Amino acid sequence: MQQQPRGNETGRAEQSSASMGTYMLDLLNAFEKGMAAEAAPFNLTPLEFNLLRICVEKSECTATQLAEVLPVDASRVSRLVSGLVDRRLLRRRRLRNDRRIVMLRASEAGGELTSHLQLRMQRYYAKLAKGLSDREMRQFASSSLKIIANYEAMERT
């Protein structure tokens, strides 16, 4: 049975959850600015990098699938895809059995660039996590997964 916070603990819990938005925005800002700085020399935006990364991870996907996981609408995904295809970082392929469906796959150059940028981002993330113990990193991961699960549960209802 879970105990209810007593006295001052309730105020601290409410204050912590009220501050969570600020912490998350600051953390997101640190990630986004770092990703932008790492991707800029390769003429990519963080959104383009994430789109390529998803295509590499999934091997192939549709623009609709990308729009479901990226924080933009389908028309923006289409423009991003067109730009990456024009730059030969992404390839389109129509399905033989249903020509309406277009599959997207990172080109060899797009895959190599994505791998290179992922290594750069891992080094950047390591700098952000400097000074955090293994225990603190596990706690951060656990807390993040709980927040993500809560969000996904809210989206289903």
Side-chain angles (χ1 to χ4, degrees), residues 137-153:
M137 284 303 297
R138 284 191 305 273
Q139 190 173 20
F140 173 74
S142 175
S143 298
S144 297
L145 289 171
K146 287 177 184 176
I147 291 168
I148 292 165
N150 290 340
Y151 170 76
E152 288 173 348

Side-chain angles (χ1 to χ4, degrees), residues 81-144:
V81 165
S82 292
L84 292 169
V85 167
D86 291 347
R87 290 161 48 197
R88 293 184 167 81
L89 297 173
L90 200 61
R91 290 189 179 139
R92 290 183 179 117
R93 175 183 72 82
R94 292 198 181 273
L95 291 182
R96 286 187 183 128
N97 59 345
D98 188 343
R99 304 279 299 151
R100 296 171 297 173
I101 299 175
V102 178
M103 300 304 296
L104 304 168
R105 170 184 288 252
S107 66
E108 188 174 330
E112 288 173 8
L113 178 58
T114 301
S115 294
H116 178 71
L117 276 171
Q118 283 179 307
L119 288 174
R120 290 175 66 114
M121 289 308 302
Q122 286 172 355
R123 287 193 293 269
Y124 177 73
Y125 297 153
K127 289 177 186 175
L128 288 178
K130 184 179 177 181
L132 294 176
S133 68
D134 288 341
R135 182 179 157 278
E136 288 170 320
M137 284 303 297
R138 284 191 305 273
Q139 190 173 20
F140 173 74
S142 175
S143 298
S144 297

Side-chain angles (χ1 to χ4, degrees), residues 36-53:
E38 294 297 332
F42 304 96
N43 198 29
L44 282 180
T45 66
L47 198 52
E48 289 171 324
F49 167 65
N50 279 325
L51 188 151
L52 282 172
R53 184 183 53 78

Side-chain angles (χ1 to χ4, degrees), residues 8 24 26 35 40 87 104 120 156:
N8 206 12
M24 292 179 83
D26 290 347
M35 190 182 301
R87 290 161 48 197
L104 304 168
R120 290 175 66 114
R156 287 190 298 269

